[in-house]
Structure formats: structure tokens, C-alpha cells
Amino acid sequence: MREWLREIVHTLEAGEPVELVAVTEASGSTPRGAGALMAVFPGGRALGTIGGGNVEYEAQLLAAELLARGGCGSRRFRFVQGDAASLGMVCGGDVTVRFQYLPAGDAAVTAVLRDLMEASAGDLDTWLVLNTEQDEAVLGTADRNGPRHLETPPEDLPALLQNRPARSGGWLAIPVVRAGRVYIFGGGHVSRALVPVIAAVGFRPVVYDDRPEFADPALFPQAEKVLSGDFTKIGERITLTADDYVVIMTRGHQADYEVLEQTLRSGVKYLGCIGSRRKLALCRERLLAAGFTAEEYGAVHAPIGLSIGAETPEEIAVSVAAELIAVRAGMQASGKRE
């Protein structure tokens, strides 16, 4: 998202306009849901995606037309085979797409986009807020402290600031920055496979290992940070919050136990531990003997990842990433799966 925003800003500041394309509503089976974003530049080049296929092709054509004449607008695309207004696709749903003309040299628009770029480097939930009914681009940002860059913000703004894109009264709020990091304890093969996968879907990974050679930033170019320290003293390097995710995949049972002992009562959004059921059962027994409750241990995703038959490090990385996405989207609560 940061690179996408940077490209738009550079284009606007270079004296060329951009057409911002956003899915504002989606129903039934569709390639992408509300909040999907694409930017179309002079010459027809596009960055981002609203789902691919015919809908994206038609949207790019319309965006190029609107861009040439400085226009905004909306269009509904249907995915019903045989319908006269459809795109000939068989998904069985429909989407409404908003086209926002962003004029070159508009200081207000550029300020909004730069605000989002800066927010992406921070740790505060931040939303892009769009008015989808005006004949000109009306956009701003918002966080839990309130709106920015909006002269007349939505009256029900707090209700719009959801974990997923939300629409109300002609306004669309899209979460751009989500607070929290994914702390990965252990820098082995699975961690190396996991980091690029979760970074690509908007998580901010931090890798921690007690072996300096495994806590080498060169091994994790997509990680926000790589730390080396004692597994028994992670609090000296890390302060966990309720927005964070903890993924435990150290080299052995003892280190897993040490990290679990320090994170089980941390209140993080997600806590998962890799390992065989036997190894995890031993960890559970030790934690219960140390005074933790069965209910507390029940918050651990163990075995970690969605059950998809994963075996290789790369497959396990996909299963863990999928579970993190499900938790972030509110589709899976914290807790052990039976």
C-alpha cells in the first residue's frame, strides 16, 4: 500500500492527474469486495486491482475516459451470465465501482495521501475515508482520535471505522493501516518462508531468535525488524500490545515453553505455537503445573495454522498466514482448535 500511495503522489506532484477506482459495494460472489482499490494513470497504466477479469478491464477503460476529461462517477457491474447488463461472467454477484478524479497539483489530495504514507510507518489504525457521491474528490483520513483533512466528516464516523471496509450515508471507510506487529519467535526455515508471505498481505513481521546467525536481517529482507536476545527475557526487547500477534516456532520444546510462559497472559490478538501434538501436550502440562489455567492455554492456536495438510515450510507458512488473516478479519476468534 505504501508503494501504491507513493506512486500516486509522485504522479500528482509531477503535474499529471490520477483516477482513483474503488469498489464501494459488493454482493453475491465477486472477485473482490468493498474497499478494493486501483489507480489509473495517464496512458492507461493501472496499479492495484479491483478483481481482475472483465470488470477490471471495463473499469480501466472507463477510468481512462474519465481521467481524460477530469470526471468522477460510479458504475455497477453485474456477474450474471446471460443478463444484458452483465459482463458475461458466472460469479453470480455484482459490484459498484466509484471513480474519483484526483487533479494534479491539488495540495489537499496530496496531503491526504502523504498522511496515509506516514501512517503506514506507524502503529495506529488508520482509514482512508471517501465520499462516493460528490462530483469532485472528497477524501480524508481518520483514526480512533478523529478525522483529518475533512471539512465536513461523516456524522457516524466512529461506526465506519471497522476492521473491514464499511459504507454509510455516501461515505466509504477503508482500513489502510492496522496497528500491531507479528512477532515471530525463531528464525528457522518456516519463519523464513512465513515472513514474505505475511508481509505481502499487510502484516508487519518482527523476527526474534537467540542465535545471532539466525537473527540476521539479510535472511529476512521483508521483516520490519530482526532481533537477537535471550528467549527467557523477551520483555527486555519487546513490549506486546493487544494489537499484536505472536507466532512461536523456535528450535525446540524448551524455548517454546519459555516464550509461551511470557506471552500467555499478554493479551495479544493472536498466539500460536508450532509443533507436534505430543510436544504441545508437554508444554501444556508444564504451563498448568506452573499455575496457568486450562482456559488460558485454550487461547493458544496449537497446532498453529489452518488445517490444510501442510508439510513443507512453504505450505506451513501459507496455513499460518491464512489463520492470521482470518483472525485479523474477525472470522476466527483466538482459541485452540480441537
Side-chain angles (χ1 to χ4, degrees):
M1 176 62 78
R2 186 177 176 84
E3 293 304 315
W4 183 81
L5 291 164
R6 180 180 287 112
E7 186 69 17
I8 297 174
V9 169
H10 285 176
T11 301
L12 296 175
E13 292 183 339
E16 293 187 308
V18 176
E19 196 76 21
L20 181 63
V21 183
V23 175
T24 59
E25 293 182 272
S27 62
S29 180
T30 60
R32 292 289 302 272
L37 293 168
M38 179 173 68
V40 175
F41 302 88
R45 181 174 66 95
L47 191 62
T49 179
I50 59 169
N54 284 344
V55 63
E56 187 160 293
Y57 174 73
E58 294 291 336
Q60 281 184 242
L61 292 179
L62 181 53
E65 293 178 14
L66 291 168
L67 182 61
R69 55 187 170 88
C72 297
S74 297
R75 180 174 172 183
R76 184 184 180 200
F77 296 93
R78 302 195 67 192
F79 302 93
V80 182
Q81 194 172 34
D83 188 286
S86 79
L87 296 172
M89 299 171 72
V90 295
C91 299
D94 59 71
V95 296
T96 300
V97 179
R98 174 67 180 175
F99 300 84
Q100 297 266 30
Y101 177 76
L102 307 181
D106 189 317
V109 170
T110 302
V112 170
L113 300 175
R114 285 200 170 278
D115 189 5
L116 289 172
M117 288 173 59
E118 292 175 8
S120 67
D123 196 29
L124 186 67
D125 288 331
T126 307
W127 288 259
L128 170 63
V129 182
L130 302 170
N131 188 300
T132 63
E133 297 181 347
Q134 297 293 321
D135 292 330
E136 59 182 357
V138 178
L139 63 162
T141 66
D143 57 35
R144 300 296 183 188
N145 298 316
R148 296 187 295 278
H149 311 289
L150 290 170
E151 291 186 9
T152 308
E155 293 183 2
D156 57 347
L157 179 62
L160 283 169
L161 304 186
Q162 303 295 324
N163 195 36
R164 309 182 83 176
R167 188 167 188 259
S168 176
W171 292 90
L172 174 68
I174 303 169
V176 173
V177 180
R178 292 179 171 92
R181 295 172 172 83
V182 180
Y183 289 95
I184 303 171
F185 293 94
H189 294 298
V190 180
S191 297
R192 293 179 206 174
L194 178 62
V195 167
V197 175
I198 62 174
V201 293
F203 290 99
R204 294 185 293 167
V206 175
V207 180
Y208 185 112
D209 202 293
D210 63 345
R211 300 163 293 178
E213 65 272 23
F214 282 79
D216 182 352
L219 298 174
F220 302 96
Q222 299 90 349
E224 182 177 276
K225 191 179 296 184
V226 181
L227 303 171
S228 179
D230 193 325
F231 279 133
T232 66
K233 301 175 181 179
I234 63 175
E236 293 181 357
R237 306 297 305 277
I238 290 172
T239 300
L240 297 172
T241 74
D243 294 312
D244 293 325
Y245 304 73
V246 168
V247 173
I248 303 172
M249 40 184 62
T250 75
R251 65 184 181 278
H253 165 75
Q254 179 59 30
D256 286 349
Y257 172 80
E258 290 165 354
V259 177
L260 274 169
E261 187 179 37
Q262 295 167 83
T263 58
L264 198 53
R265 289 174 176 164
S266 63
V268 292
K269 182 177 292 187
Y270 172 94
L271 176 55
C273 186
I274 200 170
S276 67
R277 292 189 180 276
R278 175 172 171 74
K279 187 190 81 168
L280 293 167
L282 292 173
C283 270
R284 181 181 185 276
E285 290 176 11
R286 290 185 64 185
L287 289 165
L288 295 181
F292 292 92
T293 67
E295 182 178 3
E296 287 172 329
Y297 184 80
V300 181
H301 290 252
I304 199 170
L306 297 186
S307 180
I308 59 172
E311 294 183 357
T312 68
E314 293 76 16
E315 290 173 343
I316 295 169
V318 170
S319 75
V320 174
E323 188 165 68
L324 294 175
I325 292 169
V327 171
R328 181 174 66 183
M331 297 180 66
Q332 185 179 119
S334 292
K336 177 182 175 183
R337 297 175 316 284
E338 298 297 336

